[in-house]
Amino acid sequence: MKIDLWDPHSFAAGHPHAQYDWLRANDPVHFQEEPGGPGYYAVTRYQDVYDVDRNFQAFSSEPTIMIQDPLAQQNFGPYKMMLMMDPPQHTAFRRLIRQEFTVPAAAERTPRMRQLARQIVDEVIERGECDFVSQVAGEMPSYVIAELMGMPLDDGRELYKLTEAIHTTAGGSPSPEGMGAVGKMFEYGRGLIEEKRARPKDDLATKLLQAEVEGRRLDDIEFLLFFLLLIDAGGDTTRNLLSAGMLALLENPDQHRWLMEDLPGRLPPAREELLRWCSPVIYMRRRATHDVELAGRKLHEGDKVVMYFGAANRDPAKFGHADRLDLTRTPNEHIAFGTGPHGCLGQHIARIEIDAMLTEVLTRMKDFQLKEAPHWLPSNFISGPQVMPVTFTPAKRAA
């Protein structure tokens, strides 16, 4: 079994589950070579991933959650994105936006998300075909984050396109296109700063600019790093879950039929199983803060430790029949959103987005079929189809 979790080609058709299976059974804390870098330890068992993600004292998010250390042109001096912080600093920054992403706050947005889902499907329904990723799955998260930040919806769509460039890698390293996309996001963010300071409104961008952390207002660069995080992370899970999830339902028609027998009642457990099955975020990296032992492997201070969520979510030690899509699965303690202090802040909104979109797609886009094989995002960080042409038969929406 050839093991290479660095090369994006290993993820050319989704998660490399054969590699994950071998690693969990034979080398659960596997040393992976890293071209141009010191290498890292790939963690693939559920309990080990769970323990690493929750133990920030031993496994730090600094200097980055990406495998590769920041390049010189990525250095923001003393400034860090929230994902690259540890508590208590991480807690203080997370508190600035937490209120917008609580369960009650997300629930208040449910009617609007259902309206947006109808609007998105309305745009393509009469054609009988579309690229499901760009024209359906990617639309909802780009619209939702645009509204949260107080931006025009079309601007959200254009910024969404930049996130794809950020995650497209060459040999696991950041691409020039990705670096350029970050620059364009920052350029847009600077304009947003000027607009919200001149004309403040009741939106998340304004609240961030007026918020205080540790007794001071955010610097512009701190706002821009927040902006990049919210735009980027706000789309990954929903876009890739919807695309890969629909693919999973096509490949498991018995599960599709079961779901459609009672879509409103069965959607919640089905959504959680699709999250486990698809695991849109491939990994997160940590750094050992001191010498520590993990699953019998001795790690040293400074070692890179990389958690593979897709591997953890198919661990047979945690999930019965882990290699089977079972929409009835309950309980379902997957960690597609991570866990511990860095558990995805937007997961409650993501679930509502997913439910709204799946309801519209499954009830209105009948006879859903692939027009051609999907092309997957060439990334070792984010998993999901990049292009997925589909055909369908339009069905009328219930009044």
Side-chain angles (χ1 to χ4, degrees), residues 257-268:
R257 284 193 296 272
W258 176 85
L259 177 59
M260 296 308 295
E261 288 171 5
D262 178 14
L263 182 58
R266 294 176 175 179
L267 186 53

Side-chain angles (χ1 to χ4, degrees), residues 87-240:
Q89 184 185 28
H90 172 267
T91 307
F93 275 77
R94 187 177 171 107
R95 190 178 295 122
L96 296 181
I97 59 174
R98 183 178 57 194
Q99 196 60 35
E100 302 292 327
F101 297 97
T102 62
V103 172
E108 287 180 6
R109 297 184 179 276
T110 300
R112 177 56 175 158
M113 292 189 200
R114 289 174 177 168
Q115 182 183 22
L116 287 170
R118 289 194 297 269
Q119 177 182 324
I120 291 163
V121 174
D122 284 346
E123 288 292 320
V124 301
I125 193 65
E126 296 305 325
R127 303 177 201 170
E129 63 179 23
C130 69
D131 171 38
F132 189 76
V133 179
S134 63
Q135 294 178 292
V136 178
E139 295 285 71
M140 172 66 91
S142 67
Y143 285 165
V144 169
I145 198 63
E147 289 198 342
L148 274 170
M149 296 296 285
M151 305 183 308
L153 295 189
D154 282 345
D155 288 4
R157 298 173 76 184
E158 292 304 310
L159 290 168
Y160 151 75
K161 295 175 184 177
L162 295 176
T163 66
E164 282 200 333
I166 291 172
H167 293 307
T168 298
T169 62
S173 303
S175 67
E177 293 80 10
M179 297 299 294
V182 171
K184 290 179 181 177
M185 279 204 179
F186 279 6
E187 182 181 349
Y188 184 95
R190 291 187 184 96
L192 191 63
I193 289 172
E194 292 180 8
E195 178 189 339
K196 298 303 179 182
R197 283 180 174 154
R199 290 175 292 278
K201 294 183 179 179
D202 184 21
D203 53 50
L204 185 52
T206 300
K207 290 175 184 177
L208 276 173
L209 290 169
Q210 295 177 346
E212 290 189 357
V213 61
E214 299 171 348
R216 61 174 182 80
R217 294 279 179 95
L218 295 183
D219 293 342
D220 285 3
I221 187 64
E222 289 175 313
F223 174 88
L224 291 173
L225 289 171
F226 248 126
F227 177 72
L228 176 61
L229 171 62
L230 290 165
I231 297 294
D232 193 14
D236 291 337
T237 301
T238 302
R239 175 183 67 226
N240 295 308

Side-chain angles (χ1 to χ4, degrees), residues 32 48 58 60 77 103 148 171 243 255 287 303 313 325 337 369 386:
Q32 171 68 57
D48 297 332
S60 171
V103 172
L148 274 170
S243 302
Q255 294 295 296
R287 174 184 55 83
D303 282 346
N313 281 334
L325 181 71
F337 289 112
Q369 294 293 332
Q386 185 176 32

Side-chain angles (χ1 to χ4, degrees), residues 262-319:
D262 178 14
L263 182 58
R266 294 176 175 179
L267 186 53
R271 172 234 302 142
E272 296 306 311
E273 176 68 349
L274 289 173
L275 282 162
R276 180 192 76 88
W277 187 256
C278 300
S279 294
V281 176
I282 294 172
Y283 77 79
M284 287 284 172
R285 168 196 154 178
R286 299 292 185 258
R287 174 184 55 83
T289 60
H290 54 77
D291 292 357
V292 63
E293 187 170 302
L294 182 65
R297 170 82 76 166
K298 292 184 178 179
L299 306 177
H300 300 287
E301 181 181 352
D303 282 346
K304 299 180 185 182
V305 181
V306 179
M307 305 170 288
Y308 281 88
F309 296 115
N313 281 334
R314 299 278 185 104
D315 188 345
K318 177 64 178 179
F319 302 98

